[in-house]
Amino acid sequence: MLLLQTDDFARERARWASLGVRTIWNTAFDDITAAHLHPKDVGCALVSVDEPRPAASWRWGGPNWKVAPGLAGRQRIRGITLQALDAQAVAQRWAQVFDLPSPVASERGWRLQLQGGFVDVKTAKAVAGAAGVAGFTLLVADPAAVLAGARKAGLPQSEQSFDVLGTRIQIEPLES
């Protein structure tokens, strides 16, 4: 699942309706409006689009949730890697659904630029269940500590990444 934040939920909902994108869950509270988009209408992943009010709040984190101070509070998911049998078609669909610039061919397949991040879509092997989320790129304050924790947990590693249940987690340092 990928969670995206918007500053105009009504605009997003109107675009989804015009594209025939179904939602499988919707909610609205005073402090947040959210919807989960049908994976078959988007491709490869369940995506939640949320409009928190105020923007820096996050209901789903609980009543005491706050952004951590310093570098720790700036850690985030920078990118997601999807795999699909037709990577170009999925990348083009994501561009439509999320009103993004056209995907650009890359050595990994197709790249979509997000504000401060990216979505990579690569070609999957032609086997059942091959489409879906293949990995995440995380910006972290202390990459060495994250990688040491993965090593301690016995997770397969290579340089700046590790695997969890078949999903590649790429670690990048957060610039101070």
Side-chain angles (χ1 to χ4, degrees):
M1 178 179 213
L2 178 66
L3 282 76
L4 299 174
Q5 185 171 331
T6 184
D7 61 358
D8 189 340
F9 191 85
R11 175 192 66 219
E12 304 301 328
R13 184 181 291 281
R15 185 175 50 260
W16 304 329
S18 74
L19 295 169
V21 176
R22 297 167 289 174
T23 59
I24 57 174
W25 179 79
N26 299 279
T27 195
F29 297 99
D30 291 341
D31 61 341
I32 199 164
T33 302
H36 293 178
L37 307 184
H38 199 297
K40 288 187 177 182
D41 296 342
V42 176
C44 291
L46 175 61
V47 180
S48 180
V49 179
D50 299 34
E51 180 186 5
R53 294 174 295 277
S57 67
W58 200 245
R59 168 183 273 270
W60 316 129
N64 298 318
W65 183 88
K66 290 182 176 52
V67 173
L71 282 179
R74 293 184 25 229
Q75 297 180 118
R76 61 187 173 83
I77 296 173
R78 180 169 179 265
I80 184 171
T81 301
L82 305 173
Q83 58 186 17
L85 296 177
D86 187 344
Q88 184 177 11
V90 168
Q92 288 172 336
R93 181 62 172 170
W94 276 59
Q96 285 180 317
V97 172
F98 301 110
D99 195 26
L100 300 171
S102 294
V104 176
S106 72
E107 71 280 354
R108 298 193 67 201
W110 296 90
R111 177 164 278 197
L112 294 156
Q113 287 300 138
L114 301 173
Q115 183 179 346
F118 63 86
V119 175
D120 282 339
V121 186
K122 66 181 188 174
T123 302
K125 297 178 181 124
V127 296
V133 176
F136 295 95
T137 299
L138 308 179
L139 288 178
V140 301
D142 189 351
V146 172
L147 293 167
R151 195 168 27 261
K152 184 177 179 182
L155 299 173
Q157 284 188 291
S158 61
E159 294 189 34
Q160 294 299 106
S161 66
F162 56 92
D163 294 342
V164 178
L165 300 172
T167 302
R168 172 65 45 104
I169 309 298
Q170 182 71 35
I171 302 299
E172 294 183 358
L174 182 64
E175 300 299 323
S176 55

